[in-house]
């Protein structure tokens, strides 16, 4: 039953997402990604505060895990702008959403893990993971 609740919380529905639903999803996804990637506490704490070491392999894995949990990549590994906008609108105004998308959507890298950490570092300029989880 616990697994079903976690999976349901992680599978967010774009278009009907509320702040509370996103926070529930984040609170479910972060521990799962922590276990899957073995990121250490200090790295995770730094990550949550927006200090994202894009070159660190565990940080890259953690970033990729979080992005995938929220379907922020399409099937080809491109940023899913619809999902990013939906999530960002819960925290910042439309002007800032447009700036975030314009700034972050140009990030590319053949290494999906490195790309993921760069994207989340870019997103953190607007809202850190801690700010999102505790809004």
């Amino acid at each position: 039953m616990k697994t079903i609740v976690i999976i349901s919380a992680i599978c967010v529905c774009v278009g009907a997402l509320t702040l509370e639903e996103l926070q529930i999803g984040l609170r479910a996804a972060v521990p799962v990604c922590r276990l899957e990637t073995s990121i250490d506490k200090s790295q995770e704490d730094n990550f949550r505060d927006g200090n994202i070491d894009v070159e660190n392999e565990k940080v890259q894995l953690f970033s990729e895990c979080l992005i995938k949990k929220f379907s922020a990549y399409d099937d080809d590994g491109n940023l899913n702008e619809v999902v990013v906008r939906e999530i960002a609108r819960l925290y910042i105004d439309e002007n800032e959403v447009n700036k975030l998308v314009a700034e972050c959507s140009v990030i590319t890298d053949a290494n999906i893990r490195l790309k993921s950490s760069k994207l989340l570092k870019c997103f953190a300029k607007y809202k850190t993971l801690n700010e999102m989880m505790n809004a």
Side-chain angles (χ1 to χ4, degrees):
M1 181 65 178
K2 186 176 181 181
T3 303
I4 293 170
V5 172
I6 289 173
I7 291 170
S8 297
I10 292 172
C11 296
V12 294
C13 178
V14 175
L17 185 66
T18 67
L19 179 59
E20 183 180 2
E21 290 167 337
L22 177 63
Q23 289 174 325
I24 290 168
L26 284 170
R27 289 186 186 114
V30 167
V32 170
C33 291
R34 179 187 313 123
L35 290 173
E36 287 180 9
T37 64
S38 301
I39 192 170
D40 70 41
K41 180 160 176 33
S42 66
Q43 290 168 328
E44 184 183 340
D45 289 345
N46 286 336
F47 186 99
R48 285 172 174 249
D49 290 335
N51 303 317
I52 299 170
D53 180 1
V54 298
E55 299 299 326
N56 182 285
E57 185 177 353
K58 288 186 180 179
V59 171
Q60 291 174 4
L61 290 167
F62 189 74
S63 299
E64 180 186 26
C65 180
L66 287 175
I67 287 177
K68 286 184 173 180
K69 295 289 185 211
F70 289 93
S71 303
Y73 285 138
D74 64 19
D75 292 337
D76 297 321
N78 300 310
L79 189 64
N80 185 334
E81 187 179 316
V82 173
V83 172
V84 171
R85 285 183 178 279
E86 185 72 25
I87 292 171
R89 283 186 183 117
L90 297 173
Y91 296 98
I92 57 179
D93 66 42
E94 193 65 30
N95 186 44
E96 290 292 300
V97 170
N98 291 332
K99 286 181 187 177
L100 179 148
V101 170
E103 181 179 350
C104 302
S105 65
V106 297
I107 294 172
T108 60
D109 202 292
N111 179 336
I112 193 77
R113 293 173 179 161
L114 180 58
K115 177 182 175 180
S116 299
S117 63
K118 288 178 179 179
L119 281 169
L120 288 180
K121 183 173 185 165
C122 184
F123 297 163
K125 293 177 188 176
Y126 295 86
K127 284 291 177 191
T128 67
L129 184 58
N130 271 338
E131 289 171 330
M132 292 173 70
M133 291 176 71
N134 300 310

